[in-house]
Amino acid sequence: QKFQQLQGNLVHASTGIPGGQGLLSTIYEATKTLPEKIIIPKQIKQCLKDWKQLLKQMKSRPTSVRELVPTEPVLIAYVDASKSGVGGVWTSGTNNIEPFVWRQQWPKQIQTAFISDTNKKGSITINDLEMTGILLAWLILEQTTNINLKHRSLTIFCDNQSAVQWTSKHNSSTSTRAGHLLRTLAMRQHILQTAPLLIAHIGGEDNCMADFASRSFNSQNMTSDKNFLYKIHKIGKREFKYFSVSSTIKML
């Protein structure tokens, strides 16, 4: 009962704390089966430490309404993930940037743990990978743009309904992994003081550039960055810069 009271207070507070809603998945997971007692493992302890940090920061500065209400996006991204890799593109919204494409092959341990028709005992779903792609897209943008993102919105298009729903709701009741990813995304938005992320679903057939980037590792011809860029230029009918994701993967 004490934990449920704490949960209620945090849910109420999250409406006025930028990023707060993204820190609720771990809290929800602890109470979803209505146990008589709540075990406090390290995941919950870390989540509560994050909450303490948010509350401490909120006492030190005013909260702008622009951190709570989305606005017209300054930049737009398209993201996709597959068993072999993840990738996407960033393009202009209200701010003009030179569009760029990124991709990353999943490590072997992730591909081995991927749930499929031939590996039903795996532990990682395509939904988890798509959610990871959304977070990666955000982190990559942080490293590449010189645009001030404070109080500004970004839009990310993704063709996975679950990942879109999780990001839109800022929490997941079905995937522990997604909850951790959402918490990281929320903290990054809070630190940068951005407006809420706008997430939208796009049909797979319309997400062709990101889809090609994520699946490019399936072809030996596309392991070369030069060949990959030549093909993505033809698909997008425009020039794209290429961003290496290795430093971002290390940061995760």
Side-chain angles (χ1 to χ4, degrees):
Q1 290 178 340
K2 289 182 179 179
F3 193 89
Q4 286 179 324
Q5 183 180 8
L6 172 63
Q7 175 180 302
N9 290 337
L10 293 179
V11 171
H12 179 71
S14 69
T15 60
I17 297 180
Q21 293 178 336
L23 273 65
L24 292 173
S25 294
T26 305
I27 305 297
Y28 287 145
E29 186 176 9
T31 59
K32 68 180 180 180
T33 59
L34 298 178
E36 293 184 4
K37 293 183 179 180
I38 301 294
I39 305 300
I40 309 295
K42 62 179 181 180
Q43 294 93 333
I44 293 181
K45 289 181 180 179
Q46 182 59 55
C47 183
L48 295 177
K49 287 180 180 179
D50 291 344
W51 267 107
K52 283 186 176 181
Q53 187 64 28
L54 287 189
L55 294 171
K56 182 179 179 180
Q57 289 189 21
M58 289 293 87
K59 289 174 64 177
S60 66
R61 66 172 178 85
T63 302
S64 171
V65 68
R66 294 181 179 180
E67 295 178 69
L68 303 174
V69 180
T71 59
E72 192 172 2
V74 293
L75 301 172
I76 299 171
Y78 299 84
V79 177
D80 185 66
S82 66
K83 176 184 177 180
S84 57
V86 59
V89 296
W90 275 103
T91 62
S92 298
T94 58
N95 275 70
N96 289 323
I97 63 165
E98 186 174 5
F100 66 89
V101 61
W102 60 275
R103 63 173 181 162
Q104 176 65 38
Q105 188 172 22
W106 294 124
K108 287 186 178 180
Q109 59 266 38
I110 289 181
Q111 296 188 43
T112 301
F114 180 72
I115 298 174
S116 65
D117 292 338
T118 57
N119 184 32
K120 295 183 178 181
K121 294 184 178 181
S123 60
I124 297 177
T125 69
I126 185 60
N127 301 333
D128 294 331
L129 296 184
E130 296 274 12
M131 185 66 240
T132 305
I134 292 172
L135 174 59
L136 276 174
W138 180 283
L139 295 176
I140 287 163
L141 182 68
E142 284 190 34
Q143 295 187 46
T144 56
T145 185
N146 56 5
I147 296 175
N148 184 3
L149 298 178
K150 184 177 180 178
H151 298 167
R152 294 184 172 186
S153 283
L154 305 170
T155 291
I156 296 180
F157 286 94
C158 175
D159 58 21
N160 181 272
Q161 290 277 16
S162 293
V164 169
Q165 185 179 37
W166 291 336
T167 309
S168 178
K169 291 169 53 182
H170 308 287
N171 68 79
S172 169
S173 60
T174 58
S175 171
T176 300
R177 233 179 235 105
H180 295 325
L181 296 168
L182 288 165
R183 198 167 91 223
T184 303
L185 181 61
M187 293 298 284
R188 295 309 307 164
Q189 293 177 74
H190 181 91
I191 290 169
L192 294 179
Q193 299 182 39
T194 67
L197 171 66
L198 296 166
I199 187 76
H201 182 262
I202 185 174
E205 66 278 4
D206 297 320
N207 200 25
C208 51
M209 290 183 292
D211 182 80
F212 176 74
S214 73
R215 300 174 191 275
S216 59
F217 299 101
N218 294 335
S219 171
Q220 290 186 346
N221 293 333
M222 291 299 113
T223 56
S224 163
D225 291 341
K226 182 179 179 180
N227 291 345
F228 169 72
L229 276 175
Y230 174 77
K231 183 67 174 179
I232 203 76
H233 289 166
K234 292 185 65 176
I235 295 174
K237 297 181 181 179
R238 62 195 301 185
E239 292 290 319
F240 288 92
K241 291 178 66 177
Y242 181 70
F243 178 77
S244 175
V245 192
S246 57
S247 58
T248 302
I249 293 291
K250 289 178 181 179
M251 186 166 66
L252 281 174

